[in-house]
Amino acid sequence: MKSICVYCGSNPGSRPDYVEAARTLGTAIAARGITLVYGGAKVGCMGAVADAALAAGGKVVGIIPRALVEKEIAHEGLTESLVVGSMHERKRLMADRSDAFVALPGGIGTLEEIFEMWTWAQLGHHAKPCALYDVAGFYGPLVGFLDHQVTEGFVRPGHRGMLIVEREPEPLFTAFETYEAPVVVKWIGREER
Ligand code: AMP
């Protein structure tokens, strides 16, 4: 595994745990010699994960749309900074440049980004692992809802099981390294692929 994409809040969140977890993960990624790919901002948890990886001697690739360079304050000290034309381009490039995806606590943008990668995995467009990094129980309600979607017949258990949920860097890295993309039919009631 050469690169990990971290999605996270452009805000710091209301508990110190969130920024601390961003720093812990950034440091752990760098310590493993893995390149961090992220949204290129200097603010919130995004800035924290990047600063920690850089401080630990890691490589950090930031990918930011031109329209957000001022709003999210583009980080100027990254190993590689890519300014792209649109949000779609950003997400495409982040996906192409990464071997795995993880969402730290964040807002709507964070959810959109990790869910898009998970939906691509579900459709077999890529075979890279996707994870939630569950700090201070932040993702508990969402995980409960995902299980509810399975119970209600909208998500297959095999697709639900693709989403890794961890709360520490080491088990996360292990889960990433041992991940094998399952072959599961998307549409319930249709067993042919
Ligand atoms: P948030 O979790 O809302 O603080 O946003 C985290 C990151 O997601 C920021 O870099 C946002 O620019 C980005 N983001 C916001 N909206 C979207 C979207 N619709 N698609 C992809 N990324 C987004």
Side-chain angles (χ1 to χ4, degrees):
M1 179 147 310
K2 292 189 180 135
S3 57
I4 292 180
C5 179
V6 175
Y7 303 120
C8 59
S10 51
N11 287 295
S14 57
R15 295 168 192 263
D17 309 55
Y18 302 132
V19 164
E20 268 168 37
R23 289 199 192 110
T24 302
L25 186 59
T27 305
I29 288 172
R32 283 220 162 195
I34 296 169
T35 298
L36 167 69
V37 176
Y38 88 115
K42 207 174 173 176
V43 294
C45 291
M46 297 175 74
V49 70
D51 284 339
L54 290 167
K59 286 190 191 149
V60 181
V61 179
I63 305 172
I64 192 164
R66 198 161 292 116
L68 290 182
V69 163
E70 284 185 17
K71 284 192 189 127
E72 293 191 350
I73 315 177
H75 199 302
E76 288 176 352
L78 305 178
T79 318
E80 191 180 347
S81 292
L82 301 168
V83 178
V84 295
S86 69
M87 193 65 93
H88 286 294
E89 233 181 298
R90 176 202 235 180
K91 288 190 291 182
R92 175 88 254 170
L93 214 49
M94 288 171 88
D96 290 347
R97 298 282 300 255
S98 310
D99 298 322
F101 310 95
V102 56
L104 278 159
I108 301 168
T110 302
L111 286 188
E112 203 271 351
E113 291 170 320
I114 192 69
F115 271 80
E116 181 167 50
M117 285 313 111
W118 189 19
T119 58
W120 289 2
Q122 174 184 245
L123 295 172
H125 293 342
H126 68 76
K128 302 173 185 177
C130 296
L132 300 176
Y133 195 85
D134 191 22
V135 181
F138 178 79
Y139 279 119
L142 178 63
V143 168
F145 181 73
L146 297 174
D147 292 338
H148 176 65
Q149 287 182 300
V150 174
T151 308
E152 295 304 307
F154 286 103
V155 177
R156 282 189 180 274
H159 286 136
R160 164 69 189 84
M162 292 167 90
L163 187 68
I164 295 159
V165 183
E166 290 293 351
R167 56 193 69 223
E168 297 291 339
E170 286 312 315
L172 175 71
F173 296 147
T174 303
F176 277 165
E177 278 154 15
T178 55
Y179 177 81
E180 280 181 38
V183 178
V184 182
V185 181
K186 160 82 183 90
W187 293 275
I188 292 169
R190 278 172 44 192
E191 299 317 315
E192 76 282 6
R193 292 186 59 208

